[in-house]
Amino acid sequence: MTLDEKIGQLNQMHYEDGAFLEENARKGLVGTVMSITNPIDFNRIQRIAVEESRLGIPLINARDVIHGFKTIFPIPLGQACSFDPDLVEQAARISAIEAAAAGIRWTFAPMVDISQDPRWGRIAEGCGEDPYLTSTLGASMVRGFQGNDLKDPSSIAACAKHFAGYGASESGKDYNSTFIAPNRFRNIYLRPFHSCVNNGVATIMTSFNDNDGIPSTGNKWLVKNILRDEWGYEGVVVTDWNAINEMVTHGYCEDIRSATLKAIDASVDIDMMSRAYIGYIKELIDDGLIDINQIDDAVRRILLLKHSLGLFESPYCDETLKSSVFYAPEHIRTAQKLAEESIVLLKNDATTLPFNSEIKKILVTGPLADAPYEQLGTWVFDGDAKHSITPLTALKDEFGAENIIFEPVLEYSRDTNLDRLKQIKEKAAEADIILAFVGEESILSGEAHSMASLSLQGAQSQLIKELSQTGKPVVMIVMAGRPLTIGDEIALSSAVLYSFAPGTMGGPAIVSTLIGKNNPSGKLPVTFPMTVGQIPIYYNHNNTGRPADGSEVTINDISVGTSQTSLGNKSYYLDFKECLYPFGFGMSYSDFSYSDLCLDKSEYQGNDSIIISFNLKNSSEVPGTEVVQVYIRDIHASLTRPVKELIHFERIAMDANDSKRISFSIPVNKLGYWLGNKYMTEPGKFDIFVGGNSEDCMKTSFQYN
Ligand code: BGC
């Protein structure tokens, strides 16, 4: 290969580069391309690379297939509510099958950024705040996208992104700087990436943020030392969009030439859209600043990926596949199942849900009851809203159109026009129940869509208030890309379902939950704050030297003129003591209770496994599934450790009036943490907790020697 041809492999271009892309493909000056979604177009450009370039090296076509290609699954944050690694894997498999039928063999997913900040719009794209849950589901997505063998034409390379720390963008503002100290970096933010690497992820994308002053794309400690040298990762690293150029804007590099040098030194292989590598690598080699071996290594990794994908033998995609795979019936069924498992029941007064036989006439309102595009959520380029089944359509199918009274009042989530409220009050008189579909339009979350207020937008709160005064039970169904601060609206509702953005089959999934065909089992993958001022808020915080125990005074207990005191003071807010809902929370129509937690021993050592056992009971007539959660606390360690850390979860199906003794075996050496570059389980006392959410747990303890 000539040097130009080598550099070409490191250069990624976009479909919209049009004739320029074709010219580069012909000259062998482009290695990968983004966003060709028509198989005929892809084959045409691939043919130029394979048949007209000197070496005939095939291109890889990449796309952001984040939560579905045509069939759209719930947003990843919604999928995470399922705590169902197998189903999440199936969804990724289906996404790969559909995308590959369009000529796409590489997705920029999964996004495994931990986020403790719902102001950040991209919280929608990840699995929430917990490193274990994100590690588990991230690995499922990698397996689903990549299949058993990357060579299979329905497999696509996955890309764990954004490496790393991006979810901690300060104040939740997108692209903002992060300041994550090294131990925290490893124990929270790097763990999901390590899990993806251990599960064979083919590619990794660097993130936009600078952490403690160093942009990831030029962070040698992160990419070269940790990812490659410590973890032994041999795959491809790609920058995020234009991220090499942005190192100049960050103020980290004087010009694009020096940014190029930083990226190459960090061992970043592919330049996404900066055109920096094609512009500067050659002269940096001539000036002796880049060693040709660095370029050869990067080229080798890219060619190996192409080889693993089988592109040298079969560079083209089958143009006829798409009609049989897009929106295939089994894809749609899986989309409904995952949407059902993603729904979280947050409140259910008395017998509001599921509907009883007296519910005949239903008043359907709110801007998201019939919003086929909005229910798909962020990062949907290819899924067609025409295929969405909205709640309104599904309700009409279930109850007959004549029994559904529809008055959205608000056209979209930011609408402030309440002129149609009068009509709705009259219509409420005819109805047995009111369903209010509120939340966020899809464009209000996702990349560059951060929000400083997490209240319901527009006049939605007012709508809920007015509905609550009709005397009819109000069920609030929230579709959103993030947790919203909706405590007041919840208080005014008889029941609340949170579905995040549920995707193509959101409507049928919600309706099957309302009528009890689906018994909700979803659990929150993030802590819901009461108010924005509590953010960042997360269950796995450290204890501090002055932990609050709930008995502290509140603002109203303090009399005017009280003199300054710090005695007995604790770490808490005077005005908001609690979160709205804790991590792992979610109700069911069944009635689960836990008892008799015990361990097989009280002391463990070396590589022992802890056998945890307990009773789980369903004391209702309704069969259901409970997501059982196991947490630990390492009481004393060389670093202060969180008050709780999720270490295991399982979905347990229970019959009506069922009782089971459940046991799990957990290797004790899985309970450690990173101190510098060492992972260890330190001897000492540990608490272990088992329950249905991170707050309500049984507790016991053991000693690790
Ligand atoms: C996003 C990435 C995405 C890339 C390519 C960037 O703006 O941060 O997540 O994969 O664009 O579309």
Side-chain angles (χ1 to χ4, degrees), residues 301-347:
R301 290 189 282 260
I302 294 161
L303 294 182
L304 268 173
L305 176 60
K306 294 182 177 186
H307 171 71
S308 310
L309 286 163
L311 290 171
F312 287 101
E313 303 98 80
S314 318
Y316 304 111
C317 90
D318 179 343
E319 293 171 10
T320 65
L321 267 180
K322 59 179 195 171
S323 54
S324 60
V325 306
F326 291 176
Y327 307 104
E330 68 272 26
H331 299 183
I332 293 292
R333 274 196 296 275
T334 307
Q336 178 165 343
K337 182 149 199 317
L338 189 45
E340 286 175 353
E341 288 193 8
S342 300
I343 292 170
V344 185
L345 176 64
L346 292 180
K347 180 178 180 183

Side-chain angles (χ1 to χ4, degrees), residues 149-217:
D149 183 354
L150 273 180
K151 270 211 169 61
D152 180 328
S154 76
S155 289
I156 65 178
C159 180
K161 70 184 188 187
H162 307 83
F163 195 64
Y166 184 34
S169 294
E170 196 174 55
S171 60
K173 218 161 41 165
D174 208 1
Y175 315 122
N176 210 356
S177 299
T178 61
F179 298 92
I180 312 167
N183 286 320
R184 184 165 180 74
F185 212 64
R186 287 182 188 265
N187 285 305
I188 304 283
Y189 295 93
L190 292 187
R191 275 176 58 193
F193 288 95
H194 204 173
S195 160
C196 289
V197 167
N198 290 338
N199 280 275
V201 72
T203 75
I204 302 254
M205 183 188 293
T206 58
S207 59
F208 285 130
N209 58 297
D210 56 327
N211 185 51
D212 202 17
I214 305 182
S216 302
T217 303

Side-chain angles (χ1 to χ4, degrees), residues 570-644:
K570 306 276 181 61
S571 176
Y572 77 113
Y573 294 109
L574 283 176
D575 50 351
F576 287 92
K577 281 168 83 172
E578 321 243 313
C579 63
L580 183 58
Y581 292 105
F583 174 86
F585 179 84
M587 297 164 68
S588 161
Y589 300 148
S590 308
D591 187 4
F592 298 118
S593 56
Y594 293 74
S595 61
D596 293 328
L597 171 64
C598 49
L599 308 181
D600 59 329
K601 294 196 278 186
S602 56
E603 296 194 11
Y604 300 88
Q605 53 202 5
N607 297 334
D608 284 356
S609 279
I610 309 175
I611 316 261
I612 304 167
S613 54
F614 58 94
N615 290 339
L616 180 64
K617 189 169 173 199
N618 175 8
S619 27
S620 74
E621 299 300 323
V622 192
T625 295
E626 169 72 334
V627 176
V628 169
Q629 302 156 41
V630 184
Y631 299 86
I632 54 146
R633 177 170 171 198
D634 184 349
I635 314 257
H636 302 117
S638 302
L639 283 185
T640 53
R641 304 298 305 134
V643 294
K644 274 191 189 124

Side-chain angles (χ1 to χ4, degrees), residues 34 64 108 122 161-162 205 208 240-241 272 379 447:
M34 282 176 72
D64 289 281
F108 298 131
R122 303 198 80 168
K161 70 184 188 187
H162 307 83
M205 183 188 293
F208 285 130
D240 203 343
W241 183 285
M272 180 196 289
W379 276 117
E447 184 172 353

Side-chain angles (χ1 to χ4, degrees), residues 163 197 204 222-229 231-233 237:
F163 195 64
V197 167
I204 302 254
L222 184 64
V223 185
K224 177 79 176 64
N225 299 0
I226 296 186
L227 176 66
R228 296 207 189 275
D229 299 344
W231 297 354
Y233 175 70
V237 175

